[in-house]
Amino acid sequence: MTNIRVGMGYDVHQLEEGRDFWMGGIKLPATKGAVGHSDADVLIHAICDALLGAANMRDIGFHFQNTDNRWKGMDSKFFLKEVTRMIAEKGWKVGNVDCTICLEKPKIGPHIDAMKQAMAPLMNVTEEEIAIKATTTEKLGYVGREEGVNASAVVLIYK
């Protein structure tokens, strides 16, 4: 029998004028960017939490604390590659990743292929194993007011 597990991750960041906006390992054209200790890539952070959760290895904040200056301004692709290495040390491989980004703007659709290209090699999967969807909140709540962004991810890992 193949050993399989699923994990779920979620992350949210505030948006602020004049910041770079990183999503799925690429810089998006935007007037607002996410606020965080690292580059605040909400999608990668959600995927990392899903992978760590599936492997029963706590969460991204446990391994990469936002009080540690080593991670200040860090490219989140580093975290994704490192988390993939960490779960591989326990014998796990990534099967697939399914993500949803919740954001009013910019529109995510035109950037999905580039995000997949950026993240797939970090997780040792093909682009076909990564699904990225986007939605809005129809102008409701902090997302609708363009004050923040969130992302959720579900992953399957196997031995």
Side-chain angles (χ1 to χ4, degrees):
M1 182 173 103
T2 303
N3 195 354
I4 62 170
R5 290 185 183 175
V6 295
M8 196 274 306
Y10 177 82
D11 195 32
V12 60
H13 282 277
Q14 183 179 357
L15 293 174
E16 188 174 273
E17 289 283 343
R19 289 186 169 267
D20 288 342
F21 191 36
W22 290 91
M23 180 73 68
I26 65 168
K27 185 177 168 184
L28 298 182
T31 59
K32 292 182 178 182
V35 177
H37 186 68
S38 66
D39 66 4
D41 189 323
V42 68
L43 180 59
I44 287 183
H45 296 178
I47 294 169
C48 286
D49 271 352
L51 291 168
L52 289 165
N56 195 21
M57 295 175 65
R58 310 262 321 236
D59 60 39
I60 190 172
F62 178 80
H63 296 281
F64 308 102
Q65 297 175 356
N66 66 5
T67 55
D68 188 332
N69 282 332
R70 289 181 295 173
W71 316 127
K72 183 136 180 77
M74 179 65 77
D75 182 336
S76 290
K77 290 189 294 291
F78 168 83
F79 301 132
L80 186 55
K81 185 171 185 163
E82 185 65 10
V83 165
T84 301
R85 183 197 62 74
M86 291 163 56
I87 69 168
E89 281 184 352
K90 298 202 177 264
W92 296 105
K93 294 180 181 179
V94 180
N96 74 299
V97 179
D98 185 11
C99 314
T100 302
I101 300 162
C102 192
L103 176 70
E104 289 295 325
K105 63 183 178 182
K107 293 298 178 194
I108 298 299
H111 308 287
I112 288 175
D113 289 342
M115 288 185 223
K116 289 180 176 189
Q117 290 167 7
M119 294 189 299
L122 304 173
M123 294 183 283
N124 303 314
V125 298
T126 67
E127 295 167 35
E128 182 65 24
E129 276 79 52
I130 303 172
I132 301 173
K133 303 170 305 296
T135 191
T136 69
T137 59
E138 302 295 330
K139 305 289 185 194
L140 297 173
Y142 69 89
V143 171
R145 292 187 301 270
E146 299 177 29
E147 297 170 355
V149 56
N150 67 61
S152 59
V154 177
V155 302
L156 180 136
I157 62 175
Y158 66 95
K159 285 187 179 180

